[in-house]
Amino acid sequence: MRKLKELFRLKFDCQLSNRKTASSCGISRPTVSEYLFRAAQQGLTWETMAELSEEELENRLLQKTSPKGETSRKPWPDFERVHQELKSNKQVTLMLLYEEYRETYPDTHCSHAWFYAQYQNWKKKLDWVMRQDHKGGEKLFLDYCDGPPLVDPKTGTALPTHLFAAVWGASNYTFAEASFSQNLESWIQSNDRAFSYFQCVPHILVPDNLKSALHQSLPV
């Protein structure tokens, strides 16, 4: 193959996915995975490979003889890549990715049931995070939480408060104030003061299921 340096340049210097790298080089995605694995085995970085000629790089990666007594070791499936492929392309199935793995490493004796089970075990360790993208000026998130108590100077009694918070989705720029109630009047006044503080209004107000802000609650 005379496209090895181009393959690694696209992958590491241009940060392309395995699929796009394969398409650009006119080869299969399992072939890209195989060369990446060989480079990792050799401990080669892109900086090192960039200084090698195409022939030198090919000799390093495609040498077929192994030191005496050393056995080839099949890599563990890259379940992070498997997970990303399933998320990014609805046409890709776990069976297809398993078959690609077997195509790349035909001597690997693992069943599709084993592959599925190992992927599910790997998936259980993920930290689930829902990422939200916000446009500037689009959404203002509103809610109440327990506020700091205010002490009555005459009686010394601690009076509980409700802390109103208005937070921009894009910047997290925040307005907050304490009030003694979450009723409709307090809600409207807090919103009014928040708009005056920001000197603008959002396209959308997003209250967190707050009774003062809802006309009718929907069943869950």
Side-chain angles (χ1 to χ4, degrees):
M1 177 181 175
R2 294 294 177 179
K3 298 181 180 180
L4 283 176
K5 290 189 71 172
E6 179 64 7
L7 182 155
F8 291 113
R9 185 188 71 81
L10 293 173
K11 178 63 183 176
F12 295 115
D13 195 32
C14 299
Q15 299 292 309
L16 295 187
S17 66
N18 287 11
R19 186 185 298 277
K20 290 183 179 180
T21 299
S23 176
S24 297
C25 293
I27 58 178
S28 68
R29 191 175 57 184
T31 300
V32 173
S33 298
E34 172 67 19
Y35 284 124
L36 292 174
F37 172 67
R38 288 173 180 261
Q41 278 190 319
Q42 296 279 342
L44 293 173
T45 64
W46 166 238
E47 289 73 14
T48 301
M49 291 185 283
E51 296 178 355
L52 299 175
S53 67
E54 191 74 35
E55 184 177 357
E56 290 172 332
L57 182 58
E58 187 171 338
N59 290 336
R60 288 284 296 272
L61 295 179
L62 302 182
Q63 52 184 330
K64 298 183 179 180
T65 58
S66 302
K68 188 176 181 179
E70 182 179 333
T71 58
S72 60
R73 184 179 180 183
K74 302 301 182 294
W76 191 262
D78 185 355
F79 288 122
E80 182 175 358
R81 182 188 68 82
V82 169
H83 187 65
Q84 293 301 322
E85 291 283 356
L86 291 173
K87 286 176 59 179
S88 61
N89 192 337
K90 294 183 179 180
Q91 305 301 320
V92 174
T93 64
L94 200 55
M95 175 59 80
L96 176 61
L97 295 172
Y98 163 72
E99 291 175 349
E100 287 187 353
Y101 175 72
R102 288 296 305 274
E103 179 184 344
T104 305
Y105 308 106
D107 295 333
T108 300
H109 301 291
C110 70
S111 66
H112 69 275
W114 176 89
F115 189 87
Y116 285 18
Q118 294 302 321
Y119 171 67
Q120 293 301 329
N121 290 336
W122 177 89
K123 191 176 177 181
K124 291 177 182 178
K125 301 176 182 178
L126 291 177
D127 291 328
W128 293 104
V129 177
M130 183 176 69
R131 178 176 177 177
Q132 298 186 28
D133 295 321
H134 302 293
K135 298 178 181 179
E138 181 182 43
K139 295 178 182 178
L140 184 65
F141 292 85
L142 310 169
D143 201 4
Y144 278 104
C145 64
D146 292 336
L150 296 180
V151 178
D152 188 327
K154 294 182 179 180
T155 64
T157 303
L159 304 175
T161 66
H162 305 270
L163 188 66
F164 169 86
V167 183
W168 288 99
S171 65
N172 288 332
Y173 191 41
T174 302
F175 168 85
E177 70 171 17
S179 61
F180 290 116
S181 174
Q182 295 186 27
N183 60 23
L184 183 58
E185 181 181 0
S186 298
W187 165 257
I188 293 175
Q189 290 176 351
S190 292
N191 274 269
D192 182 60
R193 284 190 283 268
F195 299 151
S196 297
Y197 175 76
F198 293 132
Q199 297 185 356
C200 65
V201 295
H203 289 284
I204 305 171
L205 291 174
V206 186
D208 188 15
N209 201 29
L210 185 66
K211 291 182 179 180
S212 301
L214 298 177
H215 175 66
Q216 181 180 359
S217 298
L218 298 177
V220 178

